Structures are given as C-alpha cells and as structure tokens.
Amino acid sequence: MKNKKILLAYGSGGKLMHQLIEDLFLKNFNNEIIEKLDDSASLPSLSEKFDICFTTDSYTVDPVFFPGGDIGKLSVCGTINDLSVCGAKPLFISCSFIIEEGFDFEDLEKIVDSMRKVSETTGVKIVTGDTKVVEKGKADKIFINTSGIGIKDKNLKLGKEYIEVGDKVIISGTIGDHEISIISKRLNFETEIESDCAPLNKLISEIIKEGEIKFMRDPTRGGIATTLNEIVKEQNFGILIERRKIPVREEVKSICEILGIDPLYLANEGKVLIVCKNKDSEKILRKMKENEYGKNAQIIGEIVEEPKGKVLLETEIGSKIVIDMLSGGQYPRIC
Amino acid sequence: MKNKKILLAYGSGGKLMHQLIEDLFLKNFNNEIIEKLDDSASLPSLSEKFDICFTTDSYTVDPVFFPGGDIGKLSVCGTINDLSVCGAKPLFISCSFIIEEGFDFEDLEKIVDSMRKVSETTGVKIVTGDTKVVEKGKADKIFINTSGIGIKDKNLKLGKEYIEVGDKVIISGTIGDHEISIISKRLNFETEIESDCAPLNKLISEIIKEGEIKFMRDPTRGGIATTLNEIVKEQNFGILIERRKIPVREEVKSICEILGIDPLYLANEGKVLIVCKNKDSEKILRKMKENEYGKNAQIIGEIVEEPKGKVLLETEIGSKIVIDMLSGGQYPRIC
C-alpha cells in the first residue's frame, strides 16, 4: 500500500470503488448490517412495528446549479431515493453543509429553497443539520451531506435472494439524462437535456402494491450497467437486457456518440431499476407509466439462467455481449 | 442579501452561525423537531418503547492528524457525544467521505482504523457509508460526515424547561485542550497538549443514574462560553460561573496568553457541560471523577435569578462581567 494514492475513479461508482469498499471499509466496519451493502442500512432492532432504515450520501456535484436542478434538490432527492429503493418510506432527513468561504449567500438561499421544496412536496422532514465553512480554495463552492431515516414493513420481501429466472427487469424511464446535463453544462454544449433529478418515493410506494417486486435500486454513479452487475454479482443467475428496449433520448444518444461514451454507464438521479415477477411485470409497468416520473418506463430485459453472475446485452444487430461494471470513471463530480 | 458572502465565522459556532441557522435554515426547514436546535433531533413517533434520536456532523479539521487523535476518531466521537448529551444511547453511525484526489491510501487506512477502534470500544456500529472523490485542489485532503442514531428513555426529563435557580453547572474536565492542540500543530508550537477527543457515552450513562440532570451539552465550537449562552438564551434565569473553578491546564493558559485568546471560547471534543439539581451535584461530580474522561471534573457555577438570559463570570479578582457567545471565529477548521 506504500505510496498508493486515492484516484478519482475510487469515487466513480465502478470497480475501484467496490474494491475500496470491500478491502477497506467492510474489513474495518465489519458487522451484519453494513455487509449487505444496500443503499440503506436496515435496523430491525429499533422498533417492533417496522424496520428502520438509515442511509447517507455526500453530494459534490459540479456545477452546483445545472439544468433541471441544483445540489440542494439533488441531495434531498438522492437520500429519499436511497431509502425508497430499499422499500422504506422516507420520513426524516439531516443536512450538513461544507461551504467554501466567499460562497454567495444568495446561492445558498437558492439551494436551501430547493431543499425546502422537495421536503414539502414529499412530506419528508429535514430535522437536524450542521454547517462548516472552510477557507477559500479548500473546498469547491459547496458540498452537502444528507442522511435519512425511513420505515419499512417488516414483511416486505425485497432482496436478491427472491430473484428467479424469468423475472423481468424494468427501468422507470430514459437513462443518462442527469450525467449528460452535467457534462453539457461543463463543456458548454447547447442542449435541452435536463437532469432527471426527482424524488421517487411516491412512484415506488404506488408500484410496490401492484405486484411482486423483488429488488429495486436507483442507478446513479456507474449507470444501469453497474447496477445490473451489482445485482448478478456472485448470484446463481444472469441478466439479459436488450439495447433496443432501453429508453434513451435522441439528444443523449447524440452527445454520447460525440464523446464516445455509453449511456448504460451514465448516472441517473430520478430513475429506479426494478426486478419483478414476470406475471406482474405488465401491471407494474402500467402503474409506473401513470406517474410523472415513470411515464417512459420500459421492460428492458429478464433474469436468465446463464451466464451466471454476468450481464448480457443483446445489441441492436442481435449479437450478445457481456457488459461489466464501470471500470474507471467516465466523469467525476456528477453527483 | 445582494453580494453577501459566506464568511468563515458562519461556521465558527458563534453568533453569526446562530444567525444563519435562524434566518435561513429554520425559516425554510420549519418543523417542530428542528426548531428545538438540540444536538440531535428527537423522533418520538418512530418507536413506542423509546425516542429515537438522530444527529449529523461534518468534520473538516485541519490538520487531519493531530496530537490525541485524527479526523476519523473525531468524527465518530463527535457523533457519539451529540447523541449522548441528548440523553440517548448511541447505537448506529453512518460515515461519508469526501476525499481529495491524491490523498494517501495509507492515511485513509489510519483514519478508518481510528474509526473502527472507537466503534469497537463504544459498541456503536458503523452501518452505512458513502465515498466521493474530488479533483486535487477541490477539497482539503479529507472531510468526513458522520450521522448517528440513538435511543432515549421516553421518561427522561432533559431540557432547559427543567432548569431552576440554584442548580449547579459542572464541566467534566479541563477546557480548551482540543483547540490548543490543533492550533499548536498548525503554528508548530512545541507542546505536550493533546486533544481531549473522546467518546462520552459511558461517562454520561453512568452519571445520568446518579442524580437529577437537567441539561447536557458538549462545548465544541465556540467553547463553554457559547454553550452557557445557548443555555440562558431567552430563559428566565442566568448563569454565574467562577473563573478560578474552571479547570484549565497550565500549558493551555500559557498559549492562550501568548495568543491573546480566552480558553472559555476554545473548542473541546471530549467534555460535557451539565446542569443538575444542587442537592445531587456532589454525588454526580464524584461519579464523574471515577471515569477516565471525568477525572478533572469541577462544579464551576450555578443558575441564578439575575441577570436573566445572561452569563456572568466572576473573575479571579472577584469582579463580575457578562460574557457573550463567540462573536466571529477565533480559528477556523478546528473540527
């Protein structure tokens, strides 16, 4: 480990980050809760009525204001979504600011206003906080941490262990919008793409009653390719997805072509990827499409017996290739 | 608000920070939980058996390694203490890292190891986390957010509303050690002063059974002068403390004299300030002194009828002066 340095890719959501989590964090913070590596920790001992879920995320997005949102909206939505995909109803959020000296007070007001709006529309309360200010040049404008607490039905059966061959994979809408909006803003591309940044608690609470959902995750850093790989990792099944079924905006496709990147690896901030029972999939899809954040939802693939532990992509010309999780990072600071 | 900028003093724990919290955060995140402004939020609705408490703090200390601790130890102890002073038993902690690209992997390992040690000795589990990496120059080495969950006896009566004239004020040991250790390291002073950074959950659980404790807080940023002012603010009583009774190490005194600062305003990271019933104060003090983190504890003052809402300091020559909370900041990045 001598002279080994932390690289940007350790925070990209891909392979290096997974390695860091396993080699360093899991080895040290070794307990039965953290080792599940869910988007939120389930704390069943705290209440007899329901499981209490707990999650944390720091937001370092650059730029702080982007088409479709800002770091404030992103931070509250992100924590709401991390709880929601674990099947929890998000209730309480903490917010902790690290602000660079000289940051505009007016911009801070806008950010706090965005957080308030999400809190009000979702009913999730911001209940505690902290503020640190560091000298100019010691942070990049503003970083926000949000941690959250939610409650989950003790009988809810969500987890990879419930996934079976034949189950369907659904994505709640077009992929890549968030990361492309960020990249476009950074590169001064003229585009109409807006971040999909949105709170998914309502959508998820609606579809969860419609049929047997076995697994949910929000494909943020690393994109759906990474999330799909997280699902199959060390499991006795694989996933087959079809490129032509995956919803991608034309403009996102074009920018991806210009930059030579694949939308499958782009971060989303208002999408959920679900695995559900085949027979319930159409019903769940219909319900999803009724919600404003699910109107472009599609069934994009299914759970297959082989190749075990791998994600297979059927390309537009019908060939099948294995896709891995993000290896390094495409772009840093997208969330 | 046009062109108004965030100053370092907004994060100092003093007056400007309190103003920011009231004018911006409380106005926007307006609910009955956050407005109490306790070190942790009490969430009684989550469980019938006990109140669940929730807290968050980001740590930006510079230097990352200092005599007596490092940012990892500080972050876990800090969150444990924020829960403990609210009367809660800390159970679960989240940790979220913002790391500057190029940070030494070995240093990260040391920090994580410090966190593990506090977690192991206190029994508080680290259950969920997050890692972001930002480009070189966009953060100062490493920032850590820890949020925490604890449980509190529903019958525990802690709060300013229980404070009465005649109650005693106790500090659990020498003040200023943390901030002086940080300043000394920054200024390359040769000193033996170590940070008092320590988890106080055990000490607090021991004294809470000894007598009627009415209020507890850990005097971090802004020091005991700020904490005492927070206690009396808008209340129908004042506090009188005696300078000669306040435990301060000789070396801390000397460095304060050289720098022209007052130990009353220095941050502590392993001290608790309590207000308790007069008749129980000696018993509580004795119990405190049995614990390694309370052996220098002292009764430093009492609750008085006048001047209401003010903190009065009896100086060593017997005169009485009003002391206010920290106005700007003495030193930034001390925690």
Side-chain angles (χ1 to χ4, degrees):
Chain A
M1 290 295 176
K2 275 270 178 232
N3 295 323
K4 198 173 154 187
K5 304 282 183 193
I6 296 292
L7 310 172
L8 281 171
Y10 280 104
S12 69
K15 269 190 176 171
L16 268 172
M17 197 176 91
H18 283 80
Q19 209 177 304
L20 179 74
I21 291 170
E22 276 170 32
D23 296 349
L24 185 61
F25 299 130
L26 284 193
K27 251 182 212 155
N28 280 282
F29 310 146
N30 182 25
N31 59 63
E32 72 290 355
I33 302 168
I34 201 170
E35 72 185 17
K36 287 197 182 157
L37 288 184
D38 279 334
D39 276 357
S40 79
S42 189
L43 311 171
S45 62
L46 282 181
S47 162
E48 280 164 15
K49 282 201 295 191
F50 27 65
D51 286 358
I52 287 180
C53 295
F54 181 31
T55 189
T56 190
D57 241 318
S58 287
Y59 295 83
T60 61
V61 66
D62 168 38
V64 165
F65 297 92
F66 49 82
D70 59 44
I71 193 170
K73 182 181 179 187
L74 188 71
S75 67
V76 180
C77 290
T79 289
I80 286 175
N81 295 347
D82 279 343
L83 288 167
S84 302
V85 296
C86 293
K89 178 184 177 178
L91 292 177
F92 303 110
I93 278 186
S94 67
C95 63
S96 179
F97 299 88
I98 297 173
I99 311 175
E100 185 187 10
E101 178 189 18
F103 188 68
D104 264 328
F105 201 92
E106 244 184 304
D107 284 344
L108 181 61
E109 287 180 310
K110 280 183 210 157
I111 289 165
V112 169
D113 190 57
S114 297
M115 299 175 82
R116 178 188 59 74
K117 278 183 189 143
V118 183
S119 164
E120 277 176 10
T121 56
T122 58
V124 180
K125 285 180 181 164
I126 297 170
V127 292
T128 189
D130 176 52
T131 312
K132 294 289 188 311
V133 182
V134 300
E135 306 93 322
K136 196 150 183 69
K138 299 295 185 183
D140 193 11
K141 298 184 254 324
I142 186 166
F143 302 145
I144 301 178
N145 175 281
T146 47
S147 299
I149 294 179
I151 52 171
K152 186 171 72 170
D153 183 346
K154 278 195 189 282
N155 299 314
L156 192 66
K157 290 196 171 91
L158 269 182
K160 290 180 197 174
E161 63 271 31
Y162 301 108
I163 298 177
E164 296 163 303
V165 170
D167 286 348
K168 293 294 182 190
V169 178
I170 304 179
I171 183 77
S172 62
T174 55
I175 61 167
D177 301 0
H178 176 72
E179 188 157 344
I180 289 298
S181 82
I182 298 291
I183 295 175
S184 298
K185 177 103 196 233
R186 277 202 226 155
L187 299 179
N188 279 320
F189 281 0
E190 262 187 50
T191 143
E192 314 236 299
I193 298 290
E194 289 198 346
S195 166
D196 58 346
C197 179
L200 298 173
N201 53 331
K202 196 160 164 285
L203 170 82
I204 289 174
S205 73
E206 284 163 1
I207 60 167
I208 222 161
K209 294 176 246 162
E210 283 298 301
E212 203 177 319
I213 292 176
K214 289 151 171 220
F215 191 85
M216 295 188 275
R217 190 154 286 191
D218 51 335
T220 56
R221 285 182 286 180
I224 68 164
T226 300
T227 301
L228 291 165
N229 271 287
E230 283 167 358
I231 297 174
V232 298
K233 197 182 169 199
E234 291 167 20
Q235 301 296 315
N236 203 21
F237 55 78
I239 288 178
L240 172 67
I241 55 165
E242 292 176 63
R243 174 77 83 174
R244 67 184 174 82
K245 291 188 178 167
I246 301 169
V248 188
R249 287 184 202 283
E250 281 310 317
E251 226 179 328
V252 169
K253 271 188 200 161
S254 311
I255 294 175
C256 280
E257 272 167 29
I258 295 168
L259 298 173
I261 53 181
D262 189 332
L264 295 177
Y265 292 96
L266 294 178
N268 310 280
E269 291 291 344
K271 294 296 172 327
V272 56
L273 189 135
I274 73 163
V275 180
C276 68
K277 210 168 175 73
N278 182 12
K279 75 167 180 52
D280 295 338
S281 59
E282 288 294 340
K283 217 173 135 202
I284 290 168
L285 183 69
R286 267 199 306 278
K287 192 76 195 171
M288 231 181 206
K289 283 174 177 289
E290 287 173 18
N291 185 296
E292 60 174 321
Y293 301 129
K295 57 181 189 285
N296 297 315
Q298 290 297 339
I299 297 174
I300 60 169
E302 63 180 353
I303 304 297
V304 291
E305 201 160 340
E306 298 288 345
K308 296 188 201 309
K310 303 246 180 255
V311 178
L312 219 51
L313 174 76
E314 189 177 316
T315 66
E316 262 136 347
I317 55 164
S319 60
K320 285 178 185 161
I321 55 170
V322 169
I323 56 165
D324 206 345
M325 54 173 75
L326 187 62
S327 197
Q330 302 199 111
Y331 279 80
R333 313 276 304 280
I334 45 163
C335 58
Chain B
M1 290 295 179
K2 275 272 177 227
N3 295 321
K4 196 172 155 187
K5 304 282 182 191
I6 295 293
L7 310 173
L8 281 171
Y10 281 105
S12 68
K15 270 191 175 171
L16 268 171
M17 198 175 91
H18 283 80
Q19 209 177 304
L20 179 74
I21 291 170
E22 278 171 31
D23 295 349
L24 185 60
F25 299 131
L26 284 193
K27 251 182 212 157
N28 279 282
F29 310 147
N30 181 23
N31 60 64
E32 71 290 356
I33 301 167
I34 200 169
E35 71 185 19
K36 287 198 181 154
L37 287 185
D38 279 333
D39 276 357
S40 80
S42 189
L43 311 171
S45 62
L46 281 179
S47 162
E48 280 164 16
K49 282 201 294 192
F50 27 66
D51 286 358
I52 287 180
C53 294
F54 182 30
T55 188
T56 191
D57 242 318
S58 287
Y59 295 84
T60 60
V61 65
D62 168 37
V64 165
F65 296 93
F66 50 82
D70 60 45
I71 193 170
K73 182 181 178 187
L74 188 70
S75 67
V76 180
C77 290
T79 288
I80 286 174
N81 295 347
D82 279 344
L83 289 167
S84 303
V85 296
C86 294
K89 178 183 177 181
L91 292 175
F92 303 110
I93 278 185
S94 67
C95 62
S96 179
F97 299 88
I98 297 173
I99 312 175
E100 185 186 12
E101 179 188 17
F103 188 68
D104 265 328
F105 202 90
E106 243 183 306
D107 284 344
L108 181 62
E109 287 180 311
K110 280 184 210 156
I111 290 165
V112 168
D113 190 56
S114 296
M115 299 175 82
R116 178 188 60 73
K117 278 183 190 144
V118 183
S119 165
E120 278 176 10
T121 54
T122 58
V124 180
K125 285 180 182 165
I126 296 169
V127 292
T128 190
D130 176 50
T131 311
K132 294 290 188 309
V133 182
V134 300
E135 306 92 321
K136 198 153 183 65
K138 299 294 184 184
D140 193 12
K141 299 186 248 337
I142 186 167
F143 301 144
I144 302 179
N145 175 280
T146 47
S147 299
I149 294 179
I151 52 171
K152 185 172 72 171
D153 183 345
K154 277 193 189 282
N155 299 315
L156 192 66
K157 291 197 171 92
L158 269 182
K160 290 180 197 174
E161 62 271 31
Y162 300 108
I163 297 178
E164 296 163 302
V165 171
D167 287 347
K168 293 293 182 191
V169 178
I170 304 179
I171 183 76
S172 63
T174 55
I175 62 167
D177 301 0
H178 176 72
E179 189 156 342
I180 289 296
S181 83
I182 298 291
I183 295 175
S184 299
K185 178 100 196 236
R186 277 202 225 153
L187 300 179
N188 279 320
F189 282 1
E190 261 187 52
T191 142
E192 314 237 299
I193 298 289
E194 288 197 348
S195 165
D196 58 346
C197 178
L200 298 174
N201 53 331
K202 198 162 163 284
L203 170 82
I204 289 174
S205 73
E206 285 163 2
I207 59 167
I208 221 161
K209 293 175 249 162
E210 283 298 300
E212 202 176 319
I213 292 176
K214 284 139 174 234
F215 191 84
M216 295 189 276
R217 189 153 285 191
D218 51 335
T220 55
R221 286 182 285 179
I224 68 164
T226 301
T227 301
L228 291 166
N229 270 287
E230 284 167 359
I231 297 174
V232 297
K233 197 182 169 200
E234 291 166 23
Q235 301 297 315
N236 203 21
F237 55 78
I239 288 178
L240 171 67
I241 55 165
E242 292 176 64
R243 175 77 83 176
R244 65 184 175 82
K245 290 188 179 167
I246 301 168
V248 188
R249 286 184 204 283
E250 281 309 318
E251 226 179 329
V252 168
K253 271 189 201 160
S254 312
I255 294 175
C256 280
E257 273 166 28
I258 295 168
L259 297 174
I261 52 182
D262 188 331
L264 295 177
Y265 291 95
L266 293 178
N268 310 279
E269 290 291 345
K271 294 297 173 325
V272 57
L273 189 136
I274 73 164
V275 179
C276 68
K277 210 169 174 71
N278 183 10
K279 74 167 180 53
D280 296 338
S281 59
E282 287 294 340
K283 216 172 135 203
I284 290 168
L285 183 69
R286 268 199 305 279
K287 192 75 196 173
M288 231 181 206
K289 283 176 176 286
E290 287 172 18
N291 187 295
E292 61 173 320
Y293 301 129
K295 56 181 188 287
N296 297 315
Q298 290 298 338
I299 297 174
I300 60 169
E302 62 180 354
I303 304 298
V304 289
E305 202 159 340
E306 297 289 346
K308 296 187 201 310
K310 303 249 181 250
V311 178
L312 219 51
L313 173 76
E314 187 177 316
T315 65
E316 264 137 347
I317 54 163
S319 59
K320 285 177 185 164
I321 53 168
V322 169
I323 55 166
D324 206 346
M325 54 173 74
L326 188 61
S327 196
Q330 302 200 110
Y331 279 81
R333 312 277 305 279
I334 46 164
C335 58

